[in-house]
Amino acid sequence: VYSPFLCEKIGDIKLNGPIKEALLNASEHTSAKFTSIQVVKKGLATKAPNNVKESCNFLGQLIEEFGAGRVAIKECIDFAVNSANNANKQVRDAAMAMLNVLYKHLGEKTTQFLDGVKPATMALIEKEFEKITPYAKGEYQS
């Protein structure tokens, strides 16, 4: 019921912390997949760069908390790709951070979903991925 409001206000500096906490709590009671889909839907619909940036930051945090297997992976990757092509540098940085978290959890499988990325952006993503050591199978504990 309240997820659309929370997702719309995630970029508000005054409400950012409580909103992320409320969304994490909602993820525990519903599912991380449902919450991630709601955040992606609202993030794609908004034009406010701060909302997109904070949506990326929250999704990265959600993946760290629950693991990549419990979120909507394809939707998150598509959202990160869309955000990586944003004109705002802060949004691009947040998208890169989210992609890094996904890569840490999924490894090389992440790259097969990265279609539609500009060649220059893809080069930056691959450069970032080289710095990350993915979790070994069974290493991540949620």
Side-chain angles (χ1 to χ4, degrees), residues 21-131:
E21 187 176 330
L23 286 171
L24 280 173
N25 288 334
S27 298
E28 291 176 7
H29 295 290
T30 57
S31 74
K33 186 171 191 165
F34 175 78
T35 304
S36 64
I37 289 172
Q38 298 305 309
V39 172
V40 167
K41 269 199 269 185
K42 287 296 180 184
L44 288 172
T46 189
K47 298 292 183 214
N50 208 38
N51 280 7
V52 178
K53 177 185 85 167
E54 291 304 328
S55 294
C56 286
N57 290 338
F58 172 74
L59 289 169
Q61 181 181 358
L62 189 69
I63 294 164
E64 284 287 3
E65 291 279 329
F66 290 92
R70 294 194 177 157
V71 298
I73 296 171
K74 178 74 172 120
E75 289 83 355
C76 287
I77 291 175
D78 290 344
F79 180 64
V81 167
N82 187 330
S83 301
N85 292 325
N86 195 297
N88 187 308
K89 181 174 177 11
Q90 292 180 329
V91 173
R92 289 193 311 266
D93 291 345
M96 288 292 207
M98 186 171 117
L99 284 169
N100 288 343
V101 170
L102 280 163
Y103 185 78
K104 185 166 55 170
H105 283 263
L106 300 174
E108 287 298 319
K109 295 175 190 170
T110 309
T111 56
Q112 63 188 337
F113 293 107
L114 295 175
D115 50 345
V117 179
K118 297 176 187 173
T121 306
M122 191 62 194
L124 288 172
I125 291 170
E126 288 172 347
K127 192 175 180 180
E128 285 293 316
F129 284 176
E130 289 174 5
K131 300 175 188 174

